[in-house]
Short mmCIF file of all heavy atoms in Angstrom, two decimals:
data_model
loop_
_atom_site.label_atom_id
_atom_site.label_comp_id
_atom_site.label_asym_id
_atom_site.label_seq_id
_atom_site.Cartn_x
_atom_site.Cartn_y
_atom_site.Cartn_z
N THR H 370 24.46 29.74 -36.23
CA THR H 370 25.05 30.97 -36.77
C THR H 370 26.09 30.70 -37.85
O THR H 370 26.69 31.61 -38.39
CB THR H 370 25.75 31.79 -35.67
OG1 THR H 370 26.91 31.08 -35.21
CG2 THR H 370 24.81 32.01 -34.49
N ASP H 371 26.27 29.43 -38.20
CA ASP H 371 27.35 29.01 -39.12
C ASP H 371 26.91 29.28 -40.58
O ASP H 371 26.06 28.60 -41.14
CB ASP H 371 27.62 27.51 -38.91
CG ASP H 371 28.54 26.94 -39.96
OD1 ASP H 371 29.25 27.72 -40.61
OD2 ASP H 371 28.55 25.71 -40.11
N VAL H 372 27.56 30.24 -41.23
CA VAL H 372 27.17 30.56 -42.59
C VAL H 372 27.60 29.52 -43.59
O VAL H 372 27.11 29.47 -44.72
CB VAL H 372 27.73 31.94 -43.05
CG1 VAL H 372 27.26 33.01 -42.11
CG2 VAL H 372 29.23 31.90 -43.12
N GLN H 373 28.56 28.65 -43.20
CA GLN H 373 29.03 27.63 -44.12
C GLN H 373 28.44 26.26 -43.81
O GLN H 373 28.76 25.29 -44.44
CB GLN H 373 30.56 27.54 -44.07
CG GLN H 373 31.25 28.82 -44.45
CD GLN H 373 32.77 28.69 -44.36
OE1 GLN H 373 33.31 27.62 -44.62
NE2 GLN H 373 33.43 29.76 -44.00
N GLY H 374 27.55 26.23 -42.80
CA GLY H 374 26.95 24.97 -42.40
C GLY H 374 25.94 24.50 -43.42
O GLY H 374 25.58 25.19 -44.36
N ARG H 375 25.50 23.29 -43.24
CA ARG H 375 24.51 22.73 -44.19
C ARG H 375 23.37 22.12 -43.32
O ARG H 375 23.61 21.32 -42.45
CB ARG H 375 25.11 21.63 -45.03
CG ARG H 375 26.12 22.21 -46.05
CD ARG H 375 25.46 23.12 -47.08
NE ARG H 375 26.41 23.63 -48.02
CZ ARG H 375 27.03 24.77 -47.87
NH1 ARG H 375 26.83 25.54 -46.80
NH2 ARG H 375 27.87 25.20 -48.80
N SER H 376 22.15 22.49 -43.60
CA SER H 376 21.01 21.92 -42.91
C SER H 376 20.41 20.88 -43.80
O SER H 376 20.30 21.03 -45.00
CB SER H 376 19.99 23.00 -42.54
OG SER H 376 18.88 22.91 -43.34
N SER H 377 20.00 19.76 -43.23
CA SER H 377 19.44 18.69 -44.04
C SER H 377 18.01 19.05 -44.40
O SER H 377 17.21 19.35 -43.57
CB SER H 377 19.48 17.37 -43.26
OG SER H 377 18.73 17.49 -42.05
N ARG H 378 17.70 18.92 -45.66
CA ARG H 378 16.36 19.09 -46.19
C ARG H 378 15.70 20.37 -45.71
O ARG H 378 14.67 20.39 -45.08
CB ARG H 378 15.51 17.88 -45.80
CG ARG H 378 16.00 16.63 -46.47
CD ARG H 378 15.18 15.44 -46.08
NE ARG H 378 15.36 15.05 -44.70
CZ ARG H 378 16.41 14.36 -44.25
NH1 ARG H 378 17.34 13.97 -45.07
NH2 ARG H 378 16.48 14.04 -42.98
N GLY H 379 16.35 21.50 -45.93
CA GLY H 379 15.76 22.77 -45.54
C GLY H 379 16.68 23.90 -45.99
O GLY H 379 17.71 23.69 -46.56
N PRO H 380 16.31 25.14 -45.64
CA PRO H 380 17.17 26.26 -46.00
C PRO H 380 18.52 26.13 -45.38
O PRO H 380 18.67 25.66 -44.26
CB PRO H 380 16.39 27.47 -45.46
CG PRO H 380 15.02 27.00 -45.25
CD PRO H 380 15.10 25.54 -44.94
N THR H 381 19.56 26.57 -46.09
CA THR H 381 20.92 26.49 -45.57
C THR H 381 21.16 27.63 -44.62
O THR H 381 21.01 28.79 -45.03
CB THR H 381 21.92 26.57 -46.72
OG1 THR H 381 21.62 25.54 -47.64
CG2 THR H 381 23.34 26.46 -46.22
N PRO H 382 21.47 27.38 -43.33
CA PRO H 382 21.67 28.48 -42.40
C PRO H 382 22.77 29.43 -42.88
O PRO H 382 23.86 29.04 -43.22
CB PRO H 382 22.13 27.75 -41.11
CG PRO H 382 21.60 26.37 -41.26
CD PRO H 382 21.67 26.06 -42.72
N GLY H 383 22.40 30.72 -42.93
CA GLY H 383 23.34 31.75 -43.21
C GLY H 383 23.77 31.87 -44.66
O GLY H 383 24.56 32.74 -44.99
N SER H 384 23.31 31.03 -45.55
CA SER H 384 23.75 31.11 -46.95
C SER H 384 23.12 32.33 -47.61
O SER H 384 22.14 32.89 -47.13
CB SER H 384 23.37 29.85 -47.71
OG SER H 384 21.99 29.70 -47.76
N PRO H 385 23.71 32.79 -48.73
CA PRO H 385 23.16 33.99 -49.39
C PRO H 385 21.67 33.85 -49.66
O PRO H 385 21.19 32.80 -50.08
CB PRO H 385 23.98 34.06 -50.67
CG PRO H 385 25.26 33.38 -50.36
CD PRO H 385 24.89 32.27 -49.42
N ASN H 386 20.97 34.97 -49.51
CA ASN H 386 19.55 35.06 -49.82
C ASN H 386 18.66 34.22 -48.93
O ASN H 386 17.52 33.96 -49.28
CB ASN H 386 19.30 34.72 -51.30
CG ASN H 386 20.07 35.62 -52.25
OD1 ASN H 386 20.00 36.83 -52.13
ND2 ASN H 386 20.77 35.00 -53.17
N GLN H 387 19.16 33.77 -47.77
CA GLN H 387 18.32 33.00 -46.87
C GLN H 387 17.81 33.80 -45.70
O GLN H 387 17.18 33.28 -44.81
CB GLN H 387 19.07 31.75 -46.37
CG GLN H 387 19.21 30.67 -47.41
CD GLN H 387 17.90 30.12 -47.93
OE1 GLN H 387 16.85 30.30 -47.27
NE2 GLN H 387 17.86 29.55 -49.11
N ALA H 388 18.09 35.12 -45.67
CA ALA H 388 17.52 35.97 -44.66
C ALA H 388 16.04 36.20 -44.93
O ALA H 388 15.59 36.06 -46.07
CB ALA H 388 18.28 37.28 -44.56
N ASP H 389 15.28 36.55 -43.88
CA ASP H 389 13.89 36.97 -44.00
C ASP H 389 12.97 35.82 -44.46
O ASP H 389 12.01 36.05 -45.18
CB ASP H 389 13.78 38.13 -44.97
CG ASP H 389 14.75 39.29 -44.65
OD1 ASP H 389 14.67 39.83 -43.57
OD2 ASP H 389 15.63 39.55 -45.51
N VAL H 390 13.31 34.61 -44.03
CA VAL H 390 12.47 33.43 -44.39
C VAL H 390 11.86 32.83 -43.13
O VAL H 390 12.54 32.66 -42.14
CB VAL H 390 13.34 32.38 -45.11
CG1 VAL H 390 12.50 31.12 -45.36
CG2 VAL H 390 13.88 32.92 -46.42
N LEU H 391 10.59 32.52 -43.22
CA LEU H 391 9.90 31.77 -42.16
C LEU H 391 9.31 30.52 -42.80
O LEU H 391 8.47 30.61 -43.68
CB LEU H 391 8.78 32.62 -41.55
CG LEU H 391 7.89 31.92 -40.48
CD1 LEU H 391 8.75 31.50 -39.27
CD2 LEU H 391 6.73 32.79 -40.06
N MET H 392 9.74 29.35 -42.31
CA MET H 392 9.26 28.07 -42.81
C MET H 392 8.61 27.36 -41.65
O MET H 392 9.19 27.25 -40.54
CB MET H 392 10.38 27.24 -43.38
CG MET H 392 11.08 27.86 -44.56
SD MET H 392 12.31 26.74 -45.30
CE MET H 392 11.28 25.42 -45.90
N VAL H 393 7.43 26.81 -41.87
CA VAL H 393 6.74 26.04 -40.83
C VAL H 393 6.36 24.72 -41.40
O VAL H 393 5.58 24.61 -42.35
CB VAL H 393 5.49 26.78 -40.34
CG1 VAL H 393 4.90 26.06 -39.10
CG2 VAL H 393 5.80 28.24 -39.97
N TYR H 394 6.92 23.66 -40.78
CA TYR H 394 6.66 22.29 -41.19
C TYR H 394 5.57 21.70 -40.33
O TYR H 394 5.55 21.92 -39.10
CB TYR H 394 7.89 21.40 -41.04
CG TYR H 394 9.07 21.78 -41.90
CD1 TYR H 394 9.96 22.79 -41.50
CD2 TYR H 394 9.37 21.12 -43.08
CE1 TYR H 394 11.05 23.14 -42.26
CE2 TYR H 394 10.47 21.44 -43.85
CZ TYR H 394 11.30 22.45 -43.42
OH TYR H 394 12.39 22.80 -44.20
N ALA H 395 4.68 20.88 -40.90
CA ALA H 395 3.58 20.27 -40.16
C ALA H 395 4.08 19.12 -39.28
O ALA H 395 3.34 18.67 -38.40
CB ALA H 395 2.53 19.77 -41.13
N ALA H 396 5.31 18.69 -39.49
CA ALA H 396 5.85 17.55 -38.72
C ALA H 396 7.32 17.77 -38.45
O ALA H 396 8.01 18.45 -39.20
CB ALA H 396 5.63 16.24 -39.46
N ALA H 397 7.79 17.16 -37.40
CA ALA H 397 9.23 17.17 -37.10
C ALA H 397 9.95 16.33 -38.15
O ALA H 397 9.34 15.48 -38.82
CB ALA H 397 9.52 16.70 -35.70
N GLU H 398 11.26 16.53 -38.26
CA GLU H 398 12.03 15.77 -39.25
C GLU H 398 11.93 14.28 -39.00
O GLU H 398 12.07 13.81 -37.88
CB GLU H 398 13.50 16.20 -39.17
CG GLU H 398 14.35 15.65 -40.31
CD GLU H 398 15.73 16.31 -40.33
OE1 GLU H 398 15.86 17.45 -39.90
OE2 GLU H 398 16.67 15.62 -40.78
N GLY H 399 11.56 13.54 -40.05
CA GLY H 399 11.43 12.08 -39.97
C GLY H 399 10.07 11.60 -39.55
O GLY H 399 9.84 10.39 -39.48
N CYS H 400 9.13 12.52 -39.29
CA CYS H 400 7.83 12.15 -38.72
C CYS H 400 6.67 12.31 -39.70
O CYS H 400 6.77 12.98 -40.71
CB CYS H 400 7.55 12.97 -37.45
SG CYS H 400 8.66 12.57 -36.08
N VAL H 401 5.56 11.68 -39.32
CA VAL H 401 4.32 11.74 -40.10
C VAL H 401 3.57 13.04 -39.83
O VAL H 401 3.55 13.52 -38.68
CB VAL H 401 3.43 10.53 -39.75
CG1 VAL H 401 2.05 10.66 -40.36
CG2 VAL H 401 4.09 9.24 -40.18
N ALA H 402 2.97 13.62 -40.86
CA ALA H 402 2.07 14.76 -40.71
C ALA H 402 0.63 14.23 -40.85
O ALA H 402 0.30 13.59 -41.82
CB ALA H 402 2.34 15.81 -41.78
N TYR H 403 -0.20 14.53 -39.85
CA TYR H 403 -1.50 13.91 -39.77
C TYR H 403 -2.58 14.73 -40.43
O TYR H 403 -2.53 15.97 -40.48
CB TYR H 403 -1.88 13.65 -38.28
CG TYR H 403 -0.99 12.63 -37.63
CD1 TYR H 403 0.11 12.99 -36.87
CD2 TYR H 403 -1.23 11.26 -37.83
CE1 TYR H 403 0.92 12.04 -36.31
CE2 TYR H 403 -0.45 10.32 -37.26
CZ TYR H 403 0.66 10.71 -36.49
OH TYR H 403 1.49 9.75 -35.92
N ARG H 404 -3.60 14.01 -40.90
CA ARG H 404 -4.71 14.65 -41.63
C ARG H 404 -5.87 13.65 -41.61
O ARG H 404 -5.67 12.43 -41.65
CB ARG H 404 -4.26 14.94 -43.07
CG ARG H 404 -5.31 15.42 -44.03
CD ARG H 404 -4.69 15.66 -45.44
NE ARG H 404 -3.63 14.71 -45.74
CZ ARG H 404 -3.84 13.47 -46.17
NH1 ARG H 404 -5.08 13.01 -46.33
NH2 ARG H 404 -2.84 12.66 -46.44
N ASP H 405 -7.11 14.17 -41.54
CA ASP H 405 -8.30 13.30 -41.62
C ASP H 405 -9.32 13.94 -42.53
O ASP H 405 -9.00 14.87 -43.28
CB ASP H 405 -8.84 12.99 -40.23
CG ASP H 405 -9.25 14.27 -39.49
OD1 ASP H 405 -9.52 15.28 -40.13
OD2 ASP H 405 -9.37 14.23 -38.22
N GLU H 406 -10.54 13.45 -42.45
CA GLU H 406 -11.58 13.94 -43.40
C GLU H 406 -11.91 15.41 -43.19
O GLU H 406 -12.51 16.07 -44.04
CB GLU H 406 -12.85 13.11 -43.28
CG GLU H 406 -13.61 13.23 -41.94
CD GLU H 406 -13.01 12.30 -40.88
OE1 GLU H 406 -12.02 11.58 -41.16
OE2 GLU H 406 -13.56 12.31 -39.74
N LYS H 407 -11.53 15.98 -42.01
CA LYS H 407 -11.79 17.40 -41.74
C LYS H 407 -10.63 18.31 -42.15
O LYS H 407 -10.74 19.54 -42.06
CB LYS H 407 -12.09 17.65 -40.25
CG LYS H 407 -13.34 16.87 -39.79
CD LYS H 407 -13.56 17.12 -38.29
CE LYS H 407 -14.80 16.35 -37.81
NZ LYS H 407 -14.99 16.54 -36.34
N GLY H 408 -9.53 17.71 -42.59
CA GLY H 408 -8.37 18.47 -42.91
C GLY H 408 -7.19 18.16 -42.01
O GLY H 408 -7.31 17.22 -41.20
N SER H 409 -6.11 18.88 -42.13
CA SER H 409 -4.94 18.61 -41.29
C SER H 409 -5.00 19.44 -40.03
O SER H 409 -5.52 20.55 -40.00
CB SER H 409 -3.66 18.94 -42.05
OG SER H 409 -3.59 20.32 -42.32
#
Side-chain angles (χ1 to χ4, degrees):
T370 68
D371 170 20
V372 302
Q373 299 180 33
R375 293 293 180 267
S376 108
S377 60
R378 296 179 289 281
T381 303
S384 63
N386 301 310
Q387 286 300 340
D389 311 299
V390 175
L391 175 63
M392 299 185 65
V393 187
Y394 297 82
E398 190 170 331
C400 292
V401 171
Y403 293 98
R404 173 181 35 79
D405 59 22
E406 67 277 1
K407 298 179 181 179
S409 65

